[in-house]
Amino acid sequence: MTTRLLVTARRLASRRLLWSVAGLFAVLWPVVPMPQAMTAAADTPRPAAPADEMGLPALFGSENRVLATRARVVAVTFNAAWNDAGLDRILDDLARRRTPATFFLTGDFADRYPAAVKRIAAAGHGLGNHSYSHPYFKDLTAAGRRREVREADHALRRAGAGGTLTPFFRFPYSETSPAHIREVNELGYADIEFTTDTNGWMGTEGGMTVDRAVSRALDALRPGAILQMHVGASEGRTDVIDARALPRILDAITARGYRVIDLRTLLGPAPRPRAQVAGG
């Protein structure tokens, strides 16, 4: 009997220590040189877990495309891989409405536009990893996929991401697989995808308009929705439909009784974004 009690006590102590370490990892993420290896929990994608459940480890093993909540809240996110043509307008509109967002940047973008990374960080928004060169992960070896994630992390840090860097990763082209999710989890990242994309990135050449981008965002509105937009435009274009659509989308979200939350609440309390100086 005494031996069984000792074994049980040791197991409980080990579990408490494990979750304490995981919680500390989430809090200290911005100052850790590189995320430590952690193991994915399962193969089946599922909604993102609420912050009060288990924090970062609860997001592992999942292509998180919706937040697990019944509350009328949504998350706003932006990808950046081409240029920063719409960034000033986007930051101004977010600041004007005191709205938080998460920006998933490629390492190549960070190397080419370090001032843009600093502007996003100065505004207090979260910064996520979107790979270094935005390749198709299925075409890479496991070593190549790890290199893409790590090099993007280094580039974001060099560019000045600082304490706004998050342990969130978004796959290029949103192409996920259980095995690839495990790989990024083992690097310390949770995969955060999206409920809908406005498709503003297609531009007018691709048949998109501001009205259509707004409609796509609002048609997908539901508790826990994650909205994806883009900061720039491809092939040298400078007209960023998502930047023009953003104020209408944010105003409609509020009018329908929803609130935009910071994805970092999945890790614990997150700071509100600071006001951004126009054009800054």
Side-chain angles (χ1 to χ4, degrees), residues 66-96:
V66 63
L67 309 179
T69 181
R70 294 180 181 176
R72 295 172 72 83
V73 297
V74 297
V76 172
T77 70
F78 295 88
N79 291 359
W82 295 306
N83 57 42
D84 65 346
L87 182 61
D88 285 342
R89 185 169 184 171
I90 287 168
L91 289 178
D92 288 346
D93 283 324
L94 291 172
R96 191 171 296 114

PDB file of all heavy atoms in Angstrom, residues 66-96:
ATOM      1  N   VAL A  66     -10.856  27.401 -36.311  1.00  0.00           N
ATOM      2  CA  VAL A  66     -11.922  28.117 -35.606  1.00  0.00           C
ATOM      3  C   VAL A  66     -11.632  28.033 -34.116  1.00  0.00           C
ATOM      4  O   VAL A  66     -11.076  27.039 -33.636  1.00  0.00           O
ATOM      5  CB  VAL A  66     -13.311  27.511 -35.942  1.00  0.00           C
ATOM      6  CG1 VAL A  66     -13.402  26.077 -35.467  1.00  0.00           C
ATOM      7  CG2 VAL A  66     -14.436  28.349 -35.360  1.00  0.00           C
ATOM      8  N   LEU A  67     -11.969  29.081 -33.384  1.00  0.00           N
ATOM      9  CA  LEU A  67     -11.772  29.096 -31.942  1.00  0.00           C
ATOM     10  C   LEU A  67     -12.919  28.342 -31.273  1.00  0.00           C
ATOM     11  O   LEU A  67     -14.073  28.461 -31.684  1.00  0.00           O
ATOM     12  CB  LEU A  67     -11.727  30.533 -31.424  1.00  0.00           C
ATOM     13  CG  LEU A  67     -10.766  31.480 -32.132  1.00  0.00           C
ATOM     14  CD1 LEU A  67     -10.858  32.878 -31.522  1.00  0.00           C
ATOM     15  CD2 LEU A  67      -9.343  30.955 -32.069  1.00  0.00           C
ATOM     16  N   ALA A  68     -12.594  27.564 -30.260  1.00  0.00           N
ATOM     17  CA  ALA A  68     -13.611  26.776 -29.560  1.00  0.00           C
ATOM     18  C   ALA A  68     -14.335  27.665 -28.560  1.00  0.00           C
ATOM     19  O   ALA A  68     -13.938  27.800 -27.407  1.00  0.00           O
ATOM     20  CB  ALA A  68     -12.966  25.585 -28.851  1.00  0.00           C
ATOM     21  N   THR A  69     -15.374  28.317 -29.030  1.00  0.00           N
ATOM     22  CA  THR A  69     -16.127  29.221 -28.167  1.00  0.00           C
ATOM     23  C   THR A  69     -17.543  29.393 -28.704  1.00  0.00           C
ATOM     24  O   THR A  69     -17.782  29.250 -29.903  1.00  0.00           O
ATOM     25  CB  THR A  69     -15.444  30.603 -28.090  1.00  0.00           C
ATOM     26  OG1 THR A  69     -16.183  31.472 -27.229  1.00  0.00           O
ATOM     27  CG2 THR A  69     -15.348  31.245 -29.471  1.00  0.00           C
ATOM     28  N   ARG A  70     -18.467  29.686 -27.806  1.00  0.00           N
ATOM     29  CA  ARG A  70     -19.826  30.038 -28.207  1.00  0.00           C
ATOM     30  C   ARG A  70     -20.029  31.544 -28.157  1.00  0.00           C
ATOM     31  O   ARG A  70     -21.077  32.048 -28.558  1.00  0.00           O
ATOM     32  CB  ARG A  70     -20.837  29.344 -27.291  1.00  0.00           C
ATOM     33  CG  ARG A  70     -20.836  27.823 -27.416  1.00  0.00           C
ATOM     34  CD  ARG A  70     -21.848  27.196 -26.477  1.00  0.00           C
ATOM     35  NE  ARG A  70     -21.835  25.731 -26.562  1.00  0.00           N
ATOM     36  CZ  ARG A  70     -22.557  24.936 -25.807  1.00  0.00           C
ATOM     37  NH1 ARG A  70     -23.373  25.462 -24.885  1.00  0.00           N
ATOM     38  NH2 ARG A  70     -22.474  23.623 -25.950  1.00  0.00           N
ATOM     39  N   ALA A  71     -19.021  32.255 -27.665  1.00  0.00           N
ATOM     40  CA  ALA A  71     -19.110  33.711 -27.567  1.00  0.00           C
ATOM     41  C   ALA A  71     -19.032  34.326 -28.964  1.00  0.00           C
ATOM     42  O   ALA A  71     -18.429  33.766 -29.882  1.00  0.00           O
ATOM     43  CB  ALA A  71     -17.979  34.242 -26.694  1.00  0.00           C
ATOM     44  N   ARG A  72     -19.612  35.475 -29.113  1.00  0.00           N
ATOM     45  CA  ARG A  72     -19.622  36.158 -30.413  1.00  0.00           C
ATOM     46  C   ARG A  72     -18.313  36.942 -30.573  1.00  0.00           C
ATOM     47  O   ARG A  72     -18.289  38.176 -30.515  1.00  0.00           O
ATOM     48  CB  ARG A  72     -20.851  37.056 -30.522  1.00  0.00           C
ATOM     49  CG  ARG A  72     -22.153  36.261 -30.530  1.00  0.00           C
ATOM     50  CD  ARG A  72     -23.374  37.167 -30.451  1.00  0.00           C
ATOM     51  NE  ARG A  72     -23.632  37.905 -31.673  1.00  0.00           N
ATOM     52  CZ  ARG A  72     -24.281  37.415 -32.732  1.00  0.00           C
ATOM     53  NH1 ARG A  72     -24.725  36.154 -32.718  1.00  0.00           N
ATOM     54  NH2 ARG A  72     -24.492  38.147 -33.792  1.00  0.00           N
ATOM     55  N   VAL A  73     -17.252  36.176 -30.753  1.00  0.00           N
ATOM     56  CA  VAL A  73     -15.926  36.759 -30.941  1.00  0.00           C
ATOM     57  C   VAL A  73     -15.297  36.166 -32.199  1.00  0.00           C
ATOM     58  O   VAL A  73     -15.588  35.034 -32.579  1.00  0.00           O
ATOM     59  CB  VAL A  73     -15.000  36.504 -29.732  1.00  0.00           C
ATOM     60  CG1 VAL A  73     -15.563  37.169 -28.478  1.00  0.00           C
ATOM     61  CG2 VAL A  73     -14.796  35.011 -29.493  1.00  0.00           C
ATOM     62  N   VAL A  74     -14.438  36.945 -32.843  1.00  0.00           N
ATOM     63  CA  VAL A  74     -13.714  36.502 -34.031  1.00  0.00           C
ATOM     64  C   VAL A  74     -12.279  37.004 -33.924  1.00  0.00           C
ATOM     65  O   VAL A  74     -11.971  37.903 -33.137  1.00  0.00           O
ATOM     66  CB  VAL A  74     -14.359  37.040 -35.328  1.00  0.00           C
ATOM     67  CG1 VAL A  74     -15.768  36.497 -35.493  1.00  0.00           C
ATOM     68  CG2 VAL A  74     -14.370  38.568 -35.343  1.00  0.00           C
ATOM     69  N   ALA A  75     -11.392  36.424 -34.728  1.00  0.00           N
ATOM     70  CA  ALA A  75     -10.002  36.867 -34.793  1.00  0.00           C
ATOM     71  C   ALA A  75      -9.710  37.347 -36.206  1.00  0.00           C
ATOM     72  O   ALA A  75     -10.158  36.746 -37.186  1.00  0.00           O
ATOM     73  CB  ALA A  75      -9.062  35.733 -34.412  1.00  0.00           C
ATOM     74  N   VAL A  76      -8.956  38.433 -36.305  1.00  0.00           N
ATOM     75  CA  VAL A  76      -8.584  39.019 -37.590  1.00  0.00           C
ATOM     76  C   VAL A  76      -7.096  38.779 -37.818  1.00  0.00           C
ATOM     77  O   VAL A  76      -6.279  39.092 -36.950  1.00  0.00           O
ATOM     78  CB  VAL A  76      -8.900  40.524 -37.621  1.00  0.00           C
ATOM     79  CG1 VAL A  76      -8.331  41.172 -38.879  1.00  0.00           C
ATOM     80  CG2 VAL A  76     -10.408  40.753 -37.544  1.00  0.00           C
ATOM     81  N   THR A  77      -6.739  38.211 -38.971  1.00  0.00           N
ATOM     82  CA  THR A  77      -5.339  37.918 -39.263  1.00  0.00           C
ATOM     83  C   THR A  77      -4.987  38.376 -40.679  1.00  0.00           C
ATOM     84  O   THR A  77      -5.852  38.489 -41.551  1.00  0.00           O
ATOM     85  CB  THR A  77      -5.028  36.408 -39.139  1.00  0.00           C
ATOM     86  OG1 THR A  77      -5.658  35.696 -40.206  1.00  0.00           O
ATOM     87  CG2 THR A  77      -5.509  35.852 -37.802  1.00  0.00           C
ATOM     88  N   PHE A  78      -3.692  38.631 -40.870  1.00  0.00           N
ATOM     89  CA  PHE A  78      -3.176  39.048 -42.177  1.00  0.00           C
ATOM     90  C   PHE A  78      -1.934  38.228 -42.506  1.00  0.00           C
ATOM     91  O   PHE A  78      -1.110  37.955 -41.631  1.00  0.00           O
ATOM     92  CB  PHE A  78      -2.785  40.532 -42.163  1.00  0.00           C
ATOM     93  CG  PHE A  78      -3.933  41.469 -41.952  1.00  0.00           C
ATOM     94  CD1 PHE A  78      -4.338  41.826 -40.671  1.00  0.00           C
ATOM     95  CD2 PHE A  78      -4.625  42.006 -43.037  1.00  0.00           C
ATOM     96  CE1 PHE A  78      -5.400  42.686 -40.463  1.00  0.00           C
ATOM     97  CE2 PHE A  78      -5.696  42.863 -42.836  1.00  0.00           C
ATOM     98  CZ  PHE A  78      -6.084  43.208 -41.546  1.00  0.00           C
ATOM     99  N   ASN A  79      -1.790  37.864 -43.772  1.00  0.00           N
ATOM    100  CA  ASN A  79      -0.565  37.246 -44.267  1.00  0.00           C
ATOM    101  C   ASN A  79       0.235  38.294 -45.025  1.00  0.00           C
ATOM    102  O   ASN A  79      -0.340  39.192 -45.657  1.00  0.00           O
ATOM    103  CB  ASN A  79      -0.863  36.078 -45.203  1.00  0.00           C
ATOM    104  CG  ASN A  79      -1.471  34.897 -44.479  1.00  0.00           C
ATOM    105  OD1 ASN A  79      -1.663  34.908 -43.265  1.00  0.00           O
ATOM    106  ND2 ASN A  79      -1.798  33.862 -45.232  1.00  0.00           N
ATOM    107  N   ALA A  80       1.567  38.143 -45.003  1.00  0.00           N
ATOM    108  CA  ALA A  80       2.426  39.051 -45.767  1.00  0.00           C
ATOM    109  C   ALA A  80       3.567  38.255 -46.375  1.00  0.00           C
ATOM    110  O   ALA A  80       4.362  37.663 -45.656  1.00  0.00           O
ATOM    111  CB  ALA A  80       2.972  40.166 -44.869  1.00  0.00           C
ATOM    112  N   ALA A  81       3.619  38.241 -47.713  1.00  0.00           N
ATOM    113  CA  ALA A  81       4.700  37.561 -48.421  1.00  0.00           C
ATOM    114  C   ALA A  81       5.168  38.373 -49.630  1.00  0.00           C
ATOM    115  O   ALA A  81       6.314  38.239 -50.052  1.00  0.00           O
ATOM    116  CB  ALA A  81       4.248  36.174 -48.890  1.00  0.00           C
ATOM    117  N   TRP A  82       4.295  39.220 -50.187  1.00  0.00           N
ATOM    118  CA  TRP A  82       4.642  39.964 -51.402  1.00  0.00           C
ATOM    119  C   TRP A  82       5.275  41.315 -51.066  1.00  0.00           C
ATOM    120  O   TRP A  82       6.483  41.463 -51.091  1.00  0.00           O
ATOM    121  CB  TRP A  82       3.396  40.176 -52.256  1.00  0.00           C
ATOM    122  CG  TRP A  82       2.811  38.906 -52.777  1.00  0.00           C
ATOM    123  CD1 TRP A  82       3.465  37.936 -53.492  1.00  0.00           C
ATOM    124  CD2 TRP A  82       1.463  38.457 -52.615  1.00  0.00           C
ATOM    125  NE1 TRP A  82       2.608  36.911 -53.799  1.00  0.00           N
ATOM    126  CE2 TRP A  82       1.363  37.198 -53.280  1.00  0.00           C
ATOM    127  CE3 TRP A  82       0.331  38.980 -52.005  1.00  0.00           C
ATOM    128  CZ2 TRP A  82       0.184  36.478 -53.334  1.00  0.00           C
ATOM    129  CZ3 TRP A  82      -0.851  38.269 -52.053  1.00  0.00           C
ATOM    130  CH2 TRP A  82      -0.921  37.033 -52.704  1.00  0.00           C
ATOM    131  N   ASN A  83       4.441  42.326 -50.803  1.00  0.00           N
ATOM    132  CA  ASN A  83       4.938  43.656 -50.473  1.00  0.00           C
ATOM    133  C   ASN A  83       4.102  44.230 -49.333  1.00  0.00           C
ATOM    134  O   ASN A  83       3.203  43.562 -48.811  1.00  0.00           O
ATOM    135  CB  ASN A  83       4.924  44.573 -51.704  1.00  0.00           C
ATOM    136  CG  ASN A  83       3.519  44.677 -52.321  1.00  0.00           C
ATOM    137  OD1 ASN A  83       2.512  44.795 -51.619  1.00  0.00           O
ATOM    138  ND2 ASN A  83       3.448  44.617 -53.648  1.00  0.00           N
ATOM    139  N   ASP A  84       4.414  45.469 -48.940  1.00  0.00           N
ATOM    140  CA  ASP A  84       3.714  46.090 -47.801  1.00  0.00           C
ATOM    141  C   ASP A  84       2.788  47.208 -48.264  1.00  0.00           C
ATOM    142  O   ASP A  84       2.502  48.145 -47.513  1.00  0.00           O
ATOM    143  CB  ASP A  84       4.723  46.617 -46.779  1.00  0.00           C
ATOM    144  CG  ASP A  84       5.581  47.751 -47.323  1.00  0.00           C
ATOM    145  OD1 ASP A  84       5.593  47.958 -48.560  1.00  0.00           O
ATOM    146  OD2 ASP A  84       6.255  48.444 -46.524  1.00  0.00           O
ATOM    147  N   ALA A  85       2.288  47.105 -49.494  1.00  0.00           N
ATOM    148  CA  ALA A  85       1.540  48.197 -50.110  1.00  0.00           C
ATOM    149  C   ALA A  85       0.334  48.663 -49.298  1.00  0.00           C
ATOM    150  O   ALA A  85      -0.010  49.843 -49.303  1.00  0.00           O
ATOM    151  CB  ALA A  85       1.098  47.793 -51.522  1.00  0.00           C
ATOM    152  N   GLY A  86      -0.330  47.750 -48.594  1.00  0.00           N
ATOM    153  CA  GLY A  86      -1.528  48.150 -47.848  1.00  0.00           C
ATOM    154  C   GLY A  86      -1.320  48.294 -46.358  1.00  0.00           C
ATOM    155  O   GLY A  86      -2.280  48.562 -45.615  1.00  0.00           O
ATOM    156  N   LEU A  87      -0.075  48.149 -45.892  1.00  0.00           N
ATOM    157  CA  LEU A  87       0.157  48.065 -44.448  1.00  0.00           C
ATOM    158  C   LEU A  87      -0.214  49.337 -43.696  1.00  0.00           C
ATOM    159  O   LEU A  87      -0.865  49.263 -42.644  1.00  0.00           O
ATOM    160  CB  LEU A  87       1.624  47.715 -44.174  1.00  0.00           C
ATOM    161  CG  LEU A  87       1.970  47.559 -42.692  1.00  0.00           C
ATOM    162  CD1 LEU A  87       1.155  46.423 -42.056  1.00  0.00           C
ATOM    163  CD2 LEU A  87       3.465  47.301 -42.513  1.00  0.00           C
ATOM    164  N   ASP A  88       0.196  50.499 -44.187  1.00  0.00           N
ATOM    165  CA  ASP A  88      -0.100  51.738 -43.456  1.00  0.00           C
ATOM    166  C   ASP A  88      -1.603  51.925 -43.278  1.00  0.00           C
ATOM    167  O   ASP A  88      -2.079  52.275 -42.182  1.00  0.00           O
ATOM    168  CB  ASP A  88       0.487  52.951 -44.187  1.00  0.00           C
ATOM    169  CG  ASP A  88       1.993  53.047 -44.030  1.00  0.00           C
ATOM    170  OD1 ASP A  88       2.535  52.413 -43.114  1.00  0.00           O
ATOM    171  OD2 ASP A  88       2.622  53.755 -44.837  1.00  0.00           O
ATOM    172  N   ARG A  89      -2.356  51.699 -44.333  1.00  0.00           N
ATOM    173  CA  ARG A  89      -3.810  51.853 -44.259  1.00  0.00           C
ATOM    174  C   ARG A  89      -4.415  50.845 -43.287  1.00  0.00           C
ATOM    175  O   ARG A  89      -5.311  51.179 -42.495  1.00  0.00           O
ATOM    176  CB  ARG A  89      -4.410  51.683 -45.650  1.00  0.00           C
ATOM    177  CG  ARG A  89      -5.904  51.938 -45.720  1.00  0.00           C
ATOM    178  CD  ARG A  89      -6.354  52.015 -47.168  1.00  0.00           C
ATOM    179  NE  ARG A  89      -7.776  52.349 -47.251  1.00  0.00           N
ATOM    180  CZ  ARG A  89      -8.403  52.648 -48.378  1.00  0.00           C
ATOM    181  NH1 ARG A  89      -7.716  52.674 -49.532  1.00  0.00           N
ATOM    182  NH2 ARG A  89      -9.693  52.939 -48.382  1.00  0.00           N
ATOM    183  N   ILE A  90      -3.924  49.617 -43.323  1.00  0.00           N
ATOM    184  CA  ILE A  90      -4.425  48.573 -42.425  1.00  0.00           C
ATOM    185  C   ILE A  90      -4.140  48.927 -40.965  1.00  0.00           C
ATOM    186  O   ILE A  90      -5.029  48.847 -40.103  1.00  0.00           O
ATOM    187  CB  ILE A  90      -3.794  47.213 -42.788  1.00  0.00           C
ATOM    188  CG1 ILE A  90      -4.392  46.693 -44.092  1.00  0.00           C
ATOM    189  CG2 ILE A  90      -4.003  46.192 -41.662  1.00  0.00           C
ATOM    190  CD1 ILE A  90      -3.641  45.519 -44.696  1.00  0.00           C
ATOM    191  N   LEU A  91      -2.908  49.332 -40.670  1.00  0.00           N
ATOM    192  CA  LEU A  91      -2.555  49.682 -39.292  1.00  0.00           C
ATOM    193  C   LEU A  91      -3.354  50.884 -38.803  1.00  0.00           C
ATOM    194  O   LEU A  91      -3.762  50.938 -37.640  1.00  0.00           O
ATOM    195  CB  LEU A  91      -1.053  49.955 -39.181  1.00  0.00           C
ATOM    196  CG  LEU A  91      -0.139  48.732 -39.311  1.00  0.00           C
ATOM    197  CD1 LEU A  91       1.328  49.163 -39.221  1.00  0.00           C
ATOM    198  CD2 LEU A  91      -0.456  47.690 -38.249  1.00  0.00           C
ATOM    199  N   ASP A  92      -3.565  51.867 -39.682  1.00  0.00           N
ATOM    200  CA  ASP A  92      -4.356  53.041 -39.300  1.00  0.00           C
ATOM    201  C   ASP A  92      -5.785  52.652 -38.934  1.00  0.00           C
ATOM    202  O   ASP A  92      -6.335  53.111 -37.928  1.00  0.00           O
ATOM    203  CB  ASP A  92      -4.377  54.071 -40.432  1.00  0.00           C
ATOM    204  CG  ASP A  92      -3.040  54.772 -40.615  1.00  0.00           C
ATOM    205  OD1 ASP A  92      -2.187  54.666 -39.715  1.00  0.00           O
ATOM    206  OD2 ASP A  92      -2.834  55.409 -41.669  1.00  0.00           O
ATOM    207  N   ASP A  93      -6.408  51.796 -39.740  1.00  0.00           N
ATOM    208  CA  ASP A  93      -7.797  51.398 -39.482  1.00  0.00           C
ATOM    209  C   ASP A  93      -7.901  50.544 -38.218  1.00  0.00           C
ATOM    210  O   ASP A  93      -8.865  50.678 -37.445  1.00  0.00           O
ATOM    211  CB  ASP A  93      -8.369  50.644 -40.681  1.00  0.00           C
ATOM    212  CG  ASP A  93      -8.758  51.576 -41.817  1.00  0.00           C
ATOM    213  OD1 ASP A  93      -9.234  52.688 -41.523  1.00  0.00           O
ATOM    214  OD2 ASP A  93      -8.579  51.205 -42.991  1.00  0.00           O
ATOM    215  N   LEU A  94      -6.934  49.664 -37.998  1.00  0.00           N
ATOM    216  CA  LEU A  94      -6.937  48.861 -36.768  1.00  0.00           C
ATOM    217  C   LEU A  94      -6.786  49.758 -35.546  1.00  0.00           C
ATOM    218  O   LEU A  94      -7.470  49.571 -34.533  1.00  0.00           O
ATOM    219  CB  LEU A  94      -5.802  47.833 -36.805  1.00  0.00           C
ATOM    220  CG  LEU A  94      -5.947  46.700 -37.827  1.00  0.00           C
ATOM    221  CD1 LEU A  94      -4.660  45.873 -37.878  1.00  0.00           C
ATOM    222  CD2 LEU A  94      -7.134  45.797 -37.489  1.00  0.00           C
ATOM    223  N   ALA A  95      -5.894  50.749 -35.638  1.00  0.00           N
ATOM    224  CA  ALA A  95      -5.675  51.658 -34.508  1.00  0.00           C
ATOM    225  C   ALA A  95      -6.905  52.519 -34.240  1.00  0.00           C
ATOM    226  O   ALA A  95      -7.293  52.737 -33.090  1.00  0.00           O
ATOM    227  CB  ALA A  95      -4.455  52.541 -34.782  1.00  0.00           C
ATOM    228  N   ARG A  96      -7.519  52.971 -35.310  1.00  0.00           N
ATOM    229  CA  ARG A  96      -8.690  53.845 -35.169  1.00  0.00           C
ATOM    230  C   ARG A  96      -9.825  53.121 -34.436  1.00  0.00           C
ATOM    231  O   ARG A  96     -10.563  53.725 -33.668  1.00  0.00           O
ATOM    232  CB  ARG A  96      -9.148  54.291 -36.561  1.00  0.00           C
ATOM    233  CG  ARG A  96     -10.191  55.402 -36.551  1.00  0.00           C
ATOM    234  CD  ARG A  96     -10.423  55.922 -37.972  1.00  0.00           C
ATOM    235  NE  ARG A  96      -9.215  56.537 -38.506  1.00  0.00           N
ATOM    236  CZ  ARG A  96      -8.508  56.062 -39.545  1.00  0.00           C
ATOM    237  NH1 ARG A  96      -8.902  54.948 -40.156  1.00  0.00           N
ATOM    238  NH2 ARG A  96      -7.443  56.689 -39.965  1.00  0.00           N
TER     239      ARG A  96
END
